[in-house]
């Protein structure tokens, strides 16, 4: 037993370092009121974990910790995305003025723990681990959403918690039915046992899977489990909203794909449902986003719209769509964290979350405005940015699988979404600023903007290398 | 490497402008003029090295870009794209010359202007559908800003309308490109064209329609034209020149380069509708132009009318028609580009575009009057000037096949004569409006931006073979390919 743990640990250093860092940061936070030491430790942990990830080479399908988690190229790609979102969000936390008073050990520690949870979600190979990792992410996020000293932050956290608890309950119910049917918890066993089911039991399986998906739908803000998203984003500190909008979405998709593979026998009857949920999710997100005047709410609905595009990758379920999904997740990481970085800068400066705060940004901070426009155009899917290439692959996958309805829905939605994305560009470039004082940005936000901008533009111009790397991770059989 | 060099001219100019400080206005303008001028020189070098006897792609360049998807950085010119490249480089330089009227936020202006030129040139050079789409979309973004920031009137509305219309159209095209890829597993236009006849008819019709939506918005084909008057009128003068002169041609070029060769049966299936739409464009555009009181709006609607001849020529599927259509694209670029420059000259001095606000300017500004008369006559299709040749060829080509649409289209020329003569009468003749008693005549710089166009119009009017011999080989080949002979 000892050797198994030691062996497993070798492929698990990134998470181990991050967890230790998180605990240390929390202890530091309890003992000193200054944020500097905690920040230092947090960064040390993040960088060390990144180095450990870099040195890791994951052979296909190695079960770790008695098969609870699995380390394969697919999870490695998702772990990088989780790591990237945590690192960039740390930068945003440092830059954000609203967090100045509350940026102590607890918050930083929780962010790192979210990172651990995200990585675990990507690796989970067992229902128990899937549940635990999701709860780790959820519980940490509830607190993070409520960490501002304001009533609306607490309200948002409570709303988020209630919704989260409900969907966790539904998910657990689904899991218990599943266990009753198959007497298995590990994903490979689930696949074997569910394939052996026949007769009326397959209906029960379908019900169990549907309930299970409800829990995941909550994490990735899929309609009809999206309602918490705008409220939680609005109440949460902007940097935390940024984390919620990227990390859990990516990890949720990873877990969804793995679960789908494990429950392959139930999939054919659920595929039409997934298809329509994708269409409804993108349409609802984009249409409601049109009417938003608050930056964070707008970005929340934009997230829902983007999740709809990502769901194309799930609904199509081919090797090509998986590549598209992974690539779009990378694109989404850069462009969405980028736009949130702009939002942090603008909201901090204006003290208001109204879209009006973006007025005339091009004259007050040309660099920020240019990058902001870049991220928005990438979200809207304008070439040669990475967001376009991701959409290109996803829509292509839909056409390849003869599901043109998905591609057409995606196209129409892209045209609709253009309206609210370009509206922000209009405010920045075509409207005179309310104040003429230049908008100052600190080094942290500049780093975040620079990294996201470089990712969006350079990877968009030369997506070949990224695609080549992801191709290795995109294996349809994830078990 | 000549084609990459051509793209690098405006691209490097753009980077230089980006690096220059905001206040170095002269340096920014000099860099822009130099880079657009260099692009013009390179395009003339292309013309020099071009083998008219050869129908295939020339100056071909091909580099792997995204190997996983078989996407190449593939450029080339033939008799169809070379006229468009020349037009773009020429108007790109002249409109840059005319950009001296832009006086605020100049660094941003020239940065976006050069990005726009990269996109336009790339669209005409690309031989890979993915690359083509990227360039096609790159054009939208700077255009949005150029209209929205430096335009007049309802510029925000017009810029946004332009963006949404064109994007919606091009998204339909994107679907068609994807569908083609998963049929043929290549984005290479030449390779796709060689497979053209093997695609089944229903598939070809569907795809042709999708491509049509993308191109029709750009041309613009009635009823997708409503963005055009707004965008053209509200854009600043140099941008109007590029909009009318080059952007509209991207749509027509798409038919020649993509829709016709790759979907030959689909194209023939659509020919009747194309003829009818061309007819509507010609007649409707002309009558609406006739009703305008705003000079710029009138020229904008005359574009709708003139682009109708391109559609009519395209619908004919014979040598005369296709030659006429392609030549009409070039000629419309030079003539209407000149008209927009002239409207800009007038607007800068008077700050009005209302036709009835002028009068009697012929005696006051004789040089301007001469130029306006020349370009108006070219626009109405006076024999001896280039517009006549191409409209005539389009009509001849279409007449043998679509008798009635062609006959109705001819009335468009009559109406064109009416509205253009009305312009001359209202602006140049009659009693001088006292408000313009001290109006200065056209400056040498403005004349310099018009004279090259004038010479081209005159040369092609007298000796159209100059351009026709460039087009001929490639168009013959296209025709033989589409008709399957």
């Amino acid at each position: 037993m000892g050797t198994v743990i030691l062996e497993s640990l070798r492929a698990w250093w990134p998470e181990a370092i991050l967890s230790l860092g998180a605990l240390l940061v929390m202890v530091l936070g309890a003992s000193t009121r200054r944020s500097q030491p905690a920040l230092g430790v947090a960064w040390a942990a993040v960088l060390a974990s990144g180095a450990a990830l870099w040195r890791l080479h994951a052979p296909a399908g190695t079960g770790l910790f008695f098969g609870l988690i699995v380390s394969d190229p697919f999870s490695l790609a998702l772990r990088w995305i989780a790591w990237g979102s945590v690192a960039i969000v740390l930068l945003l936390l440092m830059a954000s003025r609203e967090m100045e008073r509350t940026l102590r050990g607890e918050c930083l520690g929780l962010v790192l723990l979210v990172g651990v949870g995200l990585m675990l979600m990507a690796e989970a190979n067992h229902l128990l681990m899937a549940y635990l990792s999701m709860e780790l992410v959820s519980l940490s996020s509830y607190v993070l959403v409520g960490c501002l000293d304001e009533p609306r932050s607490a309200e948002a956290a409570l709303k988020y918690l209630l919704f989260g608890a409900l969907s966790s309950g539904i998910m657990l119910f689904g899991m218990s039915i599943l266990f009753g049917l198959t007497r298995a918890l590990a994903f490979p066993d689930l696949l074997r046992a569910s394939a052996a089911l026949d007769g009326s039991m397959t209906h029960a399986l379908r019900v169990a899977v549907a309930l299970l998906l409800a829990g995941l739908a909550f994490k990735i803000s899929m309609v009809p489990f999206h309602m918490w998203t705008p409220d939680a984003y609005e109440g949460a500190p902007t940097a935390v909203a940024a984390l919620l909008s990227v990390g859990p979405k990516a990890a949720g998709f990873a877990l969804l794909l793995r679960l789908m593979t494990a429950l392959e026998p139930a999939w054919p009857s659920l595929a039409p449902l997934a298809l329509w949920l994708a269409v409804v999710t993108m349409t609802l997100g984009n249409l409601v986003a049109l009417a938003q005047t608050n930056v964070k709410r707008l970005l929340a609905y934009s997230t829902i719209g983007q999740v709809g595009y990502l769901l194309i990758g799930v609904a199509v379920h081919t090797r090509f769509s998986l590549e598209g999904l992974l690539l779009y997740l990378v694109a989404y990481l850069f462009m969405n964290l980028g736009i949130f970085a702009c939002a942090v800068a603008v909201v901090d400066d204006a003290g208001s979350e109204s879209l009006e705060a973006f007025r005339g940004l091009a004259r007050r901070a040309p660099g920020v405005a240019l990058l902001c426009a870049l991220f928005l155009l990438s979200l809207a899917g304008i070439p040669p940015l990475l967001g376009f290439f991701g959409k290109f692959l996803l829509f292509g996958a839909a056409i390849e699988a003869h599901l043109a309805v998905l591609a057409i829905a995606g196209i129409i939605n892209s045209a609709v979404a253009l309206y609210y994305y370009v509206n922000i560009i209009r405010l920045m470039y075509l409207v005179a600023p309310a104040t003429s004082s230049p908008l100052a940005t600190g080094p942290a936000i500049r780093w975040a903007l620079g990294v996201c901008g470089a990712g969006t533009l350079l990877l968009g111009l030369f997506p070949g290398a990224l695609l080549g790397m992801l191709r290795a991770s995109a294996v349809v059989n994830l078990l | 490497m000549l084609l990459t060099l051509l793209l690098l001219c405006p691209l490097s100019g753009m980077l230089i402008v980006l690096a220059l400080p905001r206040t170095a206005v002269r340096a920014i303008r000099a860099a822009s003029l130099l880079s657009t001028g260099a692009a013009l020189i390179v395009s003339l070098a292309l013309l020099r090295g071009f083998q008219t006897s050869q129908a295939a792609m020339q100056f071909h360049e091909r580099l792997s870009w995204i190997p996983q998807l078989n996407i190449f950085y593939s450029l080339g010119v033939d008799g169809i794209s070379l006229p468009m490249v020349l037009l773009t480089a020429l108007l790109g330089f002249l409109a840059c010359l005319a950009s001296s009227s832009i006086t605020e936020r100049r660094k941003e202006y020239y940065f976006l202007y050069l990005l726009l030129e990269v996109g336009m040139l790339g669209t005409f050079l690309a031989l890979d559908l993915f690359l083509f789409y990227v360039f096609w979309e790159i054009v939208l973004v700077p255009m949005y800003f150029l209209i929205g920031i430096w335009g007049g009137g309802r510029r925000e509305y017009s810029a946004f309308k332009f963006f949404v219309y064109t994007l919606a159209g091009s998204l339909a095209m994107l679907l068609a490109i994807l569908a083609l890829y998963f049929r043929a597993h290549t984005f290479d236009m030449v390779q796709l064209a060689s497979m053209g006849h093997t695609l089944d008819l229903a598939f070809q019709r569907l795809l042709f329609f999708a491509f049509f939506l993308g191109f029709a918005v750009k041309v613009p084909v009635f009823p997708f034209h409503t963005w055009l008057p707004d965008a053209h009128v509200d854009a600043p003068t140099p941008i109007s020149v590029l909009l009318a002169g080059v952007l509209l041609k991207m749509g027509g070029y798409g038919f020649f380069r993509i829709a016709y060769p790759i979907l030959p049966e689909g194209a023939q299936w659509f020919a009747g509708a194309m003829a009818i739409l061309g007819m509507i464009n010609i007649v409707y555009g002309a009558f609406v132009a006739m009703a305008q009181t705003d000079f710029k709006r009138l020229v904008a609607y005359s574009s709708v009318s003139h682009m109708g001849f391109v559609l009519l020529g395209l619908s004919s599927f014979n040598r005369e028609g296709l030659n006429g259509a392609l030549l009409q694209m070039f000629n419309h670029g030079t003539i209407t580009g000149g008209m927009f420059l002239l409207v800009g000259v007038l607007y800068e001095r008077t700050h009005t575009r209302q036709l009835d606000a002028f009068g009697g300017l012929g005696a006051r500004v004789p040089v301007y009057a001469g130029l306006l008369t020349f370009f108006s006559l070219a626009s109405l299709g006076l024999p001896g000037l280039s517009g006549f040749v191409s409209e005539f060829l389009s009509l001849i080509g279409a007449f043998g096949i679509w008798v009635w649409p062609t006959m109705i289209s001819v009335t468009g020329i009559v109406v064109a004569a009416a509205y253009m003569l009305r312009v001359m009468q209202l602006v140049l003749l009659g009693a001088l409006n006292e408000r313009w008693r001290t109006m200065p005549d056209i400056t040498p710089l403005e004349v310099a931006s018009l004279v090259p166009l004038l010479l081209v119009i005159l040369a092609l009017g007298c000796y159209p073979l100059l351009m026709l011999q460039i087009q001929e080989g490639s168009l013959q080949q296209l025709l033989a390919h589409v008709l399957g002979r």
Side-chain angles (χ1 to χ4, degrees):
Chain A
M1 185 170 162
T3 53
V4 173
I5 291 182
L6 279 181
E7 283 283 303
S8 306
L9 208 51
R10 201 178 300 157
W12 209 66
W13 276 119
E15 286 85 345
I17 294 171
L18 217 50
S19 326
L20 285 176
L23 297 177
L24 192 58
V25 166
M26 286 200 187
V27 171
L28 271 177
S31 58
T32 161
R33 301 202 70 76
R34 287 173 50 234
S35 66
Q36 252 62 28
L39 256 177
V41 174
W43 269 113
V46 167
L47 292 178
S49 143
L53 261 181
W54 182 258
R55 286 179 54 86
L56 201 71
H57 35 88
T62 331
L64 302 179
F65 296 113
F66 311 101
L68 279 177
I69 62 175
V70 61
S71 168
D72 55 9
F74 176 76
S75 67
L76 188 62
L78 268 302
R79 280 154 93 187
W80 270 116
I81 295 178
W83 182 84
S85 55
V86 168
I88 296 174
V89 165
L90 265 189
L91 284 172
L92 298 188
L93 281 171
M94 282 163 66
S96 152
R97 214 168 293 160
E98 60 182 345
M99 293 289 287
E100 248 170 11
R101 280 188 297 136
T102 42
L103 187 66
R104 289 199 302 268
E106 296 90 327
C107 261
L108 290 171
L110 285 171
V111 170
L112 298 191
L113 276 186
V114 170
V116 176
L118 294 176
M119 291 183 175
L120 275 174
M121 275 170 81
E123 308 170 290
N125 201 28
H126 194 277
L127 279 182
L128 195 61
M129 187 44 77
Y131 184 72
L132 280 179
S133 57
M134 280 179 67
E135 285 303 292
L136 179 59
V137 173
S138 301
L139 288 172
S140 313
S141 322
Y142 302 149
V143 183
L144 279 172
V145 168
C147 77
L148 277 188
D149 233 355
E150 288 173 32
R152 64 166 193 168
S153 179
E155 183 195 325
L158 192 63
K159 215 176 243 177
Y160 189 21
L161 170 76
L162 289 176
F163 249 102
L166 177 68
S167 63
S168 289
I170 297 175
M171 187 175 176
L172 268 184
F173 187 43
M175 285 183 180
S176 59
I177 297 179
L178 203 58
F179 181 66
L181 283 171
T182 61
R183 283 200 234 158
L185 286 174
F187 288 176
D189 301 341
L190 270 179
L191 178 60
R192 237 169 285 130
S194 57
L197 289 179
D198 53 2
S200 58
M201 285 299 141
T202 54
H203 297 295
L205 179 68
R206 244 172 266 155
V207 173
V209 174
L211 291 174
L212 203 57
L213 291 184
L216 277 168
F218 166 77
K219 274 266 135 284
I220 61 173
S221 305
M222 183 172 86
V223 171
F225 296 92
H226 65 284
M227 274 92 90
W228 60 275
T229 318
D231 296 328
Y233 283 22
E234 194 186 5
T238 316
V240 172
L243 180 62
L244 291 185
S245 80
V246 177
K249 307 285 177 277
F253 272 102
L255 189 52
L256 181 59
L257 287 171
R258 228 188 263 282
L259 261 176
M260 245 168 59
T261 318
L263 300 167
E264 191 71 50
W267 183 244
S269 55
L270 287 171
L273 183 68
L275 190 150
W276 288 109
L277 282 177
V279 174
V280 171
T281 303
M282 66 176 95
T283 311
L284 186 129
N286 283 321
L287 285 182
V288 181
L290 291 176
Q292 302 305 314
T293 53
N294 176 305
V295 186
K296 278 148 90 182
R297 288 190 83 85
L298 180 119
L299 289 178
Y301 282 108
S302 140
T303 299
I304 298 173
Q306 301 285 340
V307 165
Y309 302 136
L310 284 164
L311 278 169
I312 292 180
V314 177
V316 171
H317 198 42
T318 59
R319 190 196 164 98
F320 195 71
S321 78
L322 203 57
E323 272 171 42
L325 179 62
L326 283 175
L327 191 119
Y328 202 71
L329 280 174
V330 176
Y332 185 65
L333 166 81
F334 286 122
M335 60 197 185
N336 215 46
L337 286 181
I339 188 72
F340 265 104
C342 299
V344 167
V346 170
V347 168
D348 269 352
D349 176 79
S352 123
E353 286 168 9
S354 155
L355 278 183
E356 293 291 306
F358 279 86
R359 280 177 60 146
L361 192 65
R363 313 233 185 126
R364 303 180 54 211
V368 178
L370 185 67
L371 283 168
C372 189
L374 189 82
F375 299 131
L376 289 166
L377 290 173
S378 179
L379 283 165
I382 305 288
L385 305 170
L386 192 55
F388 161 73
F389 194 65
K391 267 191 192 165
F392 183 78
L393 292 182
L394 283 174
F395 296 166
I399 288 185
E400 189 199 25
H402 301 287
L403 292 170
V405 56
L406 276 175
I408 292 170
I411 293 288
I412 295 173
N413 267 287
S414 303
V416 172
L418 184 75
Y419 182 84
Y420 62 86
Y421 290 133
V422 170
N423 185 37
I424 301 182
I425 298 183
R426 181 185 71 86
L427 284 170
M428 290 192 302
Y429 278 88
L430 311 190
V431 179
T435 61
S436 56
S437 61
L439 183 148
T441 46
I445 209 92
R446 270 187 233 155
W447 268 98
L449 284 172
V451 169
C452 294
T456 310
L457 182 64
L458 295 180
L459 289 178
L461 280 173
F462 305 102
L466 179 64
L467 192 62
M469 277 191 271
L470 292 178
R471 185 155 276 193
S473 328
V475 270
V476 173
N477 184 13
L478 292 171
L479 294 180
Chain B
M1 290 308 289
L2 215 49
L3 299 183
T4 301
L5 187 67
L6 182 57
L7 284 177
L8 278 179
C9 290
L11 192 67
S12 54
M14 181 184 101
L15 295 176
I16 292 170
V17 167
L18 193 64
L20 285 169
R22 189 165 285 270
T23 45
V25 177
R26 292 177 71 103
I28 288 174
R29 191 162 152 73
S32 316
L33 275 173
L34 272 178
S35 53
T36 49
L40 180 59
I41 290 169
V42 175
S43 72
L44 290 175
L46 279 183
L47 179 63
R48 230 181 111 79
F50 187 80
Q51 310 275 317
T52 48
S53 54
Q54 200 184 324
M57 288 295 163
Q58 304 183 28
F59 306 103
H60 200 172
E61 290 171 29
R62 196 172 149 96
L63 281 173
S64 182
W65 181 18
I66 307 174
Q68 290 87 350
L69 292 178
N70 227 346
I71 294 171
F72 287 84
Y73 168 80
S74 170
L75 304 178
V77 286
D78 64 354
I80 296 170
S81 46
L82 186 63
M84 296 299 112
V85 172
L86 289 171
L87 180 68
T88 309
L90 178 65
L91 288 178
F93 176 67
L94 296 179
C96 191
L97 211 58
S99 293
S100 55
S101 57
I102 303 290
T103 51
E104 55 173 18
R105 294 166 88 173
R106 267 177 278 206
K107 179 176 168 177
E108 284 156 291
Y109 175 85
Y110 285 105
F111 171 77
L112 292 165
Y113 183 93
L114 293 170
L115 179 61
L116 177 67
E117 181 155 341
V118 174
M120 295 187 305
L121 285 171
T123 307
F124 294 129
L125 295 176
L127 289 185
D128 183 284
L129 272 181
F130 186 86
L131 187 67
F132 173 85
Y133 187 80
V134 169
F135 280 125
W136 175 281
E137 294 278 86
I138 282 182
V139 169
L140 293 188
V141 180
M143 196 43 114
Y144 168 79
F145 287 111
L146 287 167
I147 300 174
I149 299 180
W150 292 275
R154 295 193 300 163
R155 57 188 173 204
E156 287 181 22
Y157 167 81
S158 302
F160 188 68
K161 192 170 176 181
F162 164 78
F163 201 162
V164 170
Y165 263 63
T166 328
L167 188 85
S170 46
L171 284 172
M173 179 165 89
L174 180 65
L175 281 187
I177 291 176
L178 283 168
L180 267 179
Y181 175 73
F182 287 108
R183 215 29 106 81
H185 292 281
T186 176
F187 287 105
D188 188 301
M189 291 183 196
V190 180
Q191 243 173 304
L192 281 169
S194 67
M195 295 180 207
H197 287 286
T198 62
L199 301 171
D200 56 278
L201 192 57
F203 185 69
Q204 283 204 29
R205 287 177 180 175
L206 190 69
L207 255 57
F208 188 89
F209 190 69
F211 275 119
F212 171 79
L213 285 180
F215 301 144
V217 172
K218 268 262 158 64
V219 167
V221 178
F222 177 91
F224 305 104
H225 67 285
T226 57
W227 63 269
L228 179 138
D230 288 320
H232 280 54
V233 170
D234 291 337
T237 302
I239 302 309
S240 301
V241 172
L242 291 185
L243 256 177
V246 182
L247 256 73
L248 307 192
K249 311 306 173 297
M250 286 165 57
Y253 174 75
F255 285 113
F256 278 103
R257 171 62 69 232
I258 296 171
Y260 270 46
I262 300 180
L263 308 162
E265 275 82 27
Q268 291 176 55
W269 162 74
F270 205 77
M274 198 81 130
I276 303 285
L277 288 171
M279 174 195 83
I280 295 177
N281 256 41
I282 294 170
V283 177
Y284 169 85
F287 275 107
V288 179
M290 184 86 193
Q292 299 306 313
T293 55
D294 180 317
F295 195 175
K296 211 171 178 185
R297 230 179 166 74
L298 183 144
V299 180
Y301 274 109
S302 83
S303 286
V304 176
S305 179
H306 287 146
M307 289 306 282
F309 288 99
V310 177
L311 300 176
L312 198 64
L314 272 169
S315 72
S316 71
F317 286 92
N318 57 32
R319 197 173 152 210
E320 295 79 14
L322 287 188
N323 266 307
L326 191 57
L327 188 59
Q328 171 74 359
M329 295 214 290
F330 185 88
N331 290 341
H332 174 258
T334 50
I335 295 171
T336 308
M339 282 305 283
F340 273 119
L341 284 173
L342 285 164
V343 175
V345 168
L346 204 56
Y347 181 72
E348 215 166 279
R349 285 161 176 69
T350 61
H351 297 284
T352 178
R353 287 189 301 252
Q354 290 301 313
L355 283 168
D356 48 13
F358 304 115
L361 291 182
R364 177 77 204 113
V365 282
V367 181
Y368 178 82
L371 286 167
L372 182 63
T373 311
F374 178 86
F375 279 94
S376 304
L377 292 177
S379 182
L380 65 79
L382 189 77
L385 301 178
S386 63
F388 168 74
V389 180
S390 49
E391 288 178 10
F392 186 68
L393 278 174
S394 296
L395 289 170
I396 287 204
F399 186 70
I401 325 232
W402 313 106
V403 178
W404 280 106
T406 311
M407 281 170 66
I408 298 172
S409 298
V410 175
T411 59
I413 299 188
V414 181
V415 183
Y419 64 75
M420 275 303 166
L421 291 171
R422 186 172 144 257
V423 164
M424 280 194 275
Q425 182 199 343
L426 285 173
V427 175
L428 302 177
L429 307 178
L432 178 65
N433 186 333
E434 287 304 308
R435 281 161 73 194
W436 321 128
R437 179 154 293 284
T438 56
M439 185 171 133
D441 205 344
I442 189 165
T443 64
L445 185 72
E446 287 161 343
V447 174
S449 64
L450 283 162
V451 165
L453 296 176
L454 183 143
L455 292 177
V456 170
I457 293 168
L458 202 58
L460 287 183
C462 299
Y463 194 64
L465 204 59
L466 282 176
M467 194 51 86
L468 290 175
Q469 66 182 0
I470 295 176
Q471 306 175 0
E472 178 68 12
S474 301
L475 284 180
Q476 287 258 18
Q477 195 198 31
L478 172 68
L479 203 56
H481 167 73
V482 172
L483 299 178
R485 279 187 232 119

